[in-house]
Amino acid sequence: MTVAHQPADAAAQAIAARAQDHVDAARLAAALAALARFGGRDDGGVSRETLTDIDLAARRHLIEQARALGCEAGTDDCGNLFFRRPGREDLPPVLTGSHADTQPVGGKYDGAYGVLAGLEVIAALNAAGIDTLRPIEVVSWTNEEGSRFGPGAMGSSAFVDPARLIGYRDATDPAGIRFGDALDAALAASADLARLPMARPMSACVELHIEQGPVLEGAGVPLGVVTGIQAVRWFRVDCMGTMAHAGTTPMAVRRDAMAVAVAIAQEIYALAPRDAAAPGTPELRLTLGRWAVTPNSVNTIPGHVAFTVDMRCLDDAALDRAEAALRAACVRHASAPEAVTVTRFFHRAPTHFPEAMLDPIERACSRASDNAGRARPMRLTSGAFHDAMYLADHCPTAMIFVPSRGGISHNAAEDTDGADLFLGAQALAYTVAELASR
Ligand code: GLV
Ligand code: MN
Ligand code: MN
């Protein structure tokens, strides 16, 4: 996709500055605290997996908040929620937002911050009395996390390519519930919302998110201009064995699915340090996050072990090598052709955001941090994937990051300084207002 370079527009920047100056830290903090109560945990985290009853209640809460700001609420065939502030002209909107679902044990800010900061931008524009040329839409994407139904970023990827939705509908959660059935229930619960077409034209998309890693905090920088997202692949490995008695079955005659799975897992873990041995290569990151053992009994030899592999790297060629090594290890450890199978269920090459989007974001971040007497923004890449990864296929897209304390996320302890959350929302307001004014 090519993006025409927009000449600096003084009028658009003056509007953007006014929008930035009307962001309200206390209003944003209250909105974050209110949403965090949906699925709030005693340890300070949030458990709000996609399309659960708690998520559906949170979605109703967001709809009410957006309507109170004067937005029209709509949804689409994948249950994505869109909150629209009309423009002076009916042009393709500027889109911002993120996701409101969490990991099984997540934090208050992963995703929720981007959605609520988007609504704060609307509140700031209202307070400043600004009517933008283009409409602005705040989106809350369905199932970004991918923990309940795989893959992740279902809502945003189906929005940009609706043909994907048919396959997603058959995904099941660990209790055997189909994504399609959970989605239909969510759509029935939001029957009062306008049904919007998928793949609607958008003029630009900006996603604000916590970094979820240690880079900004380590550099002492409150705002990051995100230049791209590393590549990701997800696999499921199924190892078949024969259930048998743990006490009576001699070691030599066992077909132990766990022994095979552990041998493959050890080979996979060895890939990362081997890959790192090549100088100058970006780090290969490997996670074997979900295991299912059948029958999961202390005194029965496992008859079936299934585990997932999450591979990430900025360099897609490293993932080609890792995938080939995973497949070779599975063949080598299989006692029979069907005894070990590998299924890739998520695959995304690296994303590169266009310079024409980084330019207004850099301007927005610089103004916010200069006014606060903080360090200037830095450029960085994202280790996590985000909905912006798919929107980048659809319209000029980029992201803004704020620091994560200790680099921790996908954990109840996830946290970001209130002053940094405020600066991120200010940077978002400037960026969205500038883009919506030209
Ligand atoms: C998003 O949640 C990711 O796993 O990167
Ligand atoms: Mn997220
Ligand atoms: Mn996440």
Side-chain angles (χ1 to χ4, degrees):
M1 185 184 354
T2 58
V3 181
H5 181 72
Q6 303 278 352
D9 177 337
Q13 288 171 25
I15 292 168
R18 244 181 348 114
Q20 183 168 82
D21 292 341
H22 282 78
V23 170
D24 186 308
R27 191 169 51 199
L28 174 65
L32 287 163
L35 184 58
R37 283 188 212 110
F38 293 84
R41 300 162 50 88
D42 290 346
D43 59 8
V46 178
S47 293
R48 193 171 57 230
E49 279 193 285
T50 194
L51 302 183
T52 53
D53 288 347
I54 286 171
D55 185 41
L56 297 195
R59 293 159 74 95
R60 287 315 307 181
H61 169 79
L62 288 173
I63 293 164
E64 281 163 27
Q65 299 306 303
R67 283 180 173 159
L69 291 169
C71 294
E72 288 161 46
T75 190
D76 64 14
D77 290 352
C78 200
N80 299 310
L81 295 175
F82 296 90
F83 307 124
R84 180 181 176 96
R85 185 179 195 264
R88 293 196 304 281
E89 294 182 22
D90 192 17
L91 295 164
V94 173
L95 185 67
T96 187
S98 189
H99 59 97
D101 65 316
T102 73
Q103 287 285 312
V105 181
K108 296 185 200 66
Y109 303 128
D110 175 1
Y113 174 50
V115 176
L116 295 171
L119 291 179
E120 174 55 32
V121 171
I122 304 290
L125 291 168
N126 289 351
I130 295 170
D131 286 324
T132 52
L133 173 69
R134 291 177 182 276
I136 295 169
E137 292 195 22
V138 178
V139 61
S140 183
W141 300 110
T142 300
N143 188 26
E144 190 275 347
E145 293 292 358
S147 54
R148 180 176 176 205
F149 301 103
M154 272 190 185
S156 49
S157 58
F159 174 82
V160 307
D161 180 1
R164 290 180 171 130
L165 183 53
I166 296 159
Y168 292 166
R169 289 184 63 88
D170 287 328
T172 49
D173 74 0
I177 297 171
R178 284 177 70 248
F179 175 74
D181 294 335
L183 174 60
D184 290 345
L187 289 172
S190 48
D192 57 318
L193 270 61
R195 185 67 74 88
L196 303 166
M198 308 280 268
R200 283 178 298 136
M202 296 288 169
S203 70
C205 174
V206 192
E207 182 173 358
L208 171 65
H209 208 282
I210 55 167
E211 183 205 326
Q212 307 182 274
V215 177
L216 290 175
E217 184 182 67
V221 170
L223 292 171
V225 180
V226 184
T227 57
I229 299 178
Q230 70 177 340
V232 52
R233 298 184 196 187
W234 284 2
F235 303 87
R236 173 187 162 111
V237 179
D238 282 278
C239 305
M240 304 307 298
T242 304
M243 285 184 231
H245 196 291
T248 60
T249 316
M251 294 302 277
V253 302
R254 294 175 177 216
R255 286 189 61 238
D256 183 342
M258 181 57 84
V260 173
V262 167
I264 296 168
Q266 278 174 340
E267 286 202 28
I268 297 169
Y269 277 128
L271 295 174
R274 200 186 319 145
D275 216 76
T281 47
E283 186 174 56
L284 170 65
R285 295 181 178 153
L286 302 165
T287 304
L288 281 56
R290 177 188 290 153
W291 289 72
V293 183
T294 309
N296 210 24
S297 164
V298 64
N299 51 354
T300 297
I301 297 164
H304 178 199
V305 175
F307 63 94
T308 55
V309 183
D310 173 313
M311 297 180 176
R312 318 253 185 149
C313 192
L314 275 172
D315 178 11
D316 214 23
L319 296 193
D320 286 341
R321 288 194 296 276
E323 177 171 346
L326 167 64
R327 290 186 185 279
C330 290
V331 169
R332 211 167 335 99
H333 289 282
S335 56
E338 292 305 309
V340 181
T341 58
V342 187
T343 313
R344 191 173 74 185
F345 64 104
F346 187 22
H347 170 209
R348 189 71 194 170
T351 304
H352 303 286
F353 295 136
E355 193 59 42
M357 286 296 292
L358 305 185
D359 184 50
I361 288 179
E362 191 120 46
R363 193 159 41 244
C365 293
S366 298
R367 185 176 185 277
S369 35
D370 285 356
N371 286 351
R374 303 282 299 277
R376 285 242 140 175
M378 66 182 279
R379 292 190 171 205
L380 76 170
T381 52
S382 175
F385 63 75
H386 298 283
D387 295 301
M389 172 173 88
Y390 285 108
L391 268 292
D393 292 345
H394 188 68
C395 63
T397 296
M399 296 187 71
I400 304 169
F401 274 173
V402 295
S404 290
R405 244 182 227 150
I408 294 169
S409 186
H410 287 189
N411 186 313
E414 171 193 287
D415 200 11
T416 296
D417 205 82
D420 296 347
L421 293 169
F422 172 59
L423 286 189
Q426 283 199 313
L428 183 70
Y430 187 108
T431 309
V432 168
E434 180 179 332
L435 294 171
S437 301
R438 61 185 202 201

